[in-house]
Amino acid sequence: MGKIVILTGAGISAESGLGTFRDAGGLWAQHSIEDVATPEGFARNPALVHGFYNARRQQAAAAQPNSAHRALARLQSDCSGEVVIVTQNVDALHEAGGARDVLHMHGTLAGALCAACGHRWPAPDMMEPGELCPRCGGASARPDVVWFGEMPYYMDRIMDHLAGADIFAAIGTSGQVYPAAGFVQEANAVNAHTVEMNLDRSYIASAFDETRLGPATQIVVDWVAEQLGVTRA
Ligand code: OAD
């Protein structure tokens, strides 16, 4: 079937009970991006930033994957071609739903990163300011998440995948944060079929060949069934 590249955002985890960023009452309505999602905010007030990510880590740990996460994992295992899942999400619900080799371009709540030496290790449930790096001993442990002003992870690999894509699907993302919002242009440039699946039309909906609107647990499950040529149970 060729290569399918999938980009997911907060909307795919919404029905698992995790808040999105920009919907009414979303995370960015309750917290300032500058305070909790920038290196400068962390330098100013690490306790506030750790508190924000500790709370998100706790919520994510209690959440269960939904049928959209599971459907994408099934597509990956049952499709005759290659299925690459790139996510902006820092939760682990794709993996919990059975997906493999997920490219977490904005990092993961499960990880800790030393801001001084770059060492990575599994994050404890609760991170505290001043926590020591197990490798260099510096008191510079931070969540292994990508903040505004930082380079997302795996960009070379993602660009290579997009350059070989036959289908590009963006799911549950508002199309407001780059570079992810620009992936559809990369896919269009190689004549991939591009499809957006979202609750509402995103900011970049006009860039896609096709838009499917609805909750991810319905429209993603239906789309996967179509790709696999099976009828939804
Ligand atoms: P947003 O909160 O910006 O967008 C979520 C999208 O999901 C919206 O377009 C909603 O309409 C849609 N949505 C909500 N519920 C849905 C459902 N049940 N089914 C399908 N779609 C649904 O989240 P992202 O686009 O993921 O980055 O945000 C991108 C990045 O901005 C995040 O990774 C984060 C944030 O700031 C960083 O923190 C660096």
Side-chain angles (χ1 to χ4, degrees):
M1 170 182 260
K3 182 165 181 149
I4 303 177
V5 180
I6 296 165
L7 170 71
T8 65
I12 197 166
S13 296
E15 290 164 86
S16 292
L18 300 182
T20 61
F21 295 95
R22 296 177 181 79
D23 292 306
L27 284 168
W28 293 157
Q30 302 165 46
H31 305 270
S32 134
I33 290 183
E34 290 72 22
D35 285 345
V36 301
T38 64
E40 295 78 16
F42 185 61
R44 266 196 313 272
N45 192 343
L48 178 80
V49 176
H50 278 307
F52 175 72
Y53 289 99
N54 285 342
R56 295 188 60 204
R57 193 179 295 109
Q58 270 188 322
Q59 286 161 5
Q64 298 298 321
N66 64 49
S67 55
H69 296 106
R70 287 193 297 271
L72 294 184
R74 182 163 166 239
L75 183 64
Q76 220 178 21
S77 61
D78 292 2
C79 173
S80 56
E82 185 185 4
V83 176
V84 177
I85 300 176
V86 179
T87 188
Q88 298 167 92
N89 298 344
V90 291
D91 64 56
L93 293 179
H94 281 301
E95 289 87 345
R100 287 172 284 107
D101 304 324
V102 179
L103 295 172
H104 281 269
M105 64 179 289
H106 288 169
T108 161
L109 291 167
L113 167 70
C114 176
C117 77
H119 181 61
R120 290 190 164 83
W121 67 98
D125 292 344
M126 293 291 193
M127 292 189 74
E128 306 285 347
E131 202 166 302
L132 302 182
C133 167
R135 185 166 75 182
C136 75
S140 36
R142 55 167 279 185
D144 190 11
V145 298
V146 174
W147 287 324
F148 286 89
E150 298 181 325
M151 180 60 81
Y153 299 152
Y154 310 116
M155 286 306 297
D156 289 349
R157 282 169 67 183
I158 295 168
M159 287 301 163
D160 283 350
H161 284 309
L162 289 167
D166 297 293
I167 297 174
F168 171 71
I171 300 169
T173 177
S174 62
Q176 293 193 69
V177 175
Y178 285 81
F183 290 174
V184 63
Q185 307 290 1
E186 304 291 327
N188 283 333
V190 295
N191 293 318
H193 178 73
T194 54
V195 52
E196 167 171 282
M197 287 170 260
N198 216 39
L199 206 51
D200 311 298
R201 281 174 70 80
S202 77
Y203 279 70
I204 54 168
S206 62
F208 288 83
D209 295 322
E210 189 187 348
T211 297
R212 298 181 177 209
L213 299 180
T217 54
Q218 291 174 23
I219 57 176
V220 174
V221 171
D222 288 345
W223 177 76
V224 166
E226 281 173 37
Q227 304 311 305
L228 292 173
V230 295
T231 310
R232 186 179 173 180

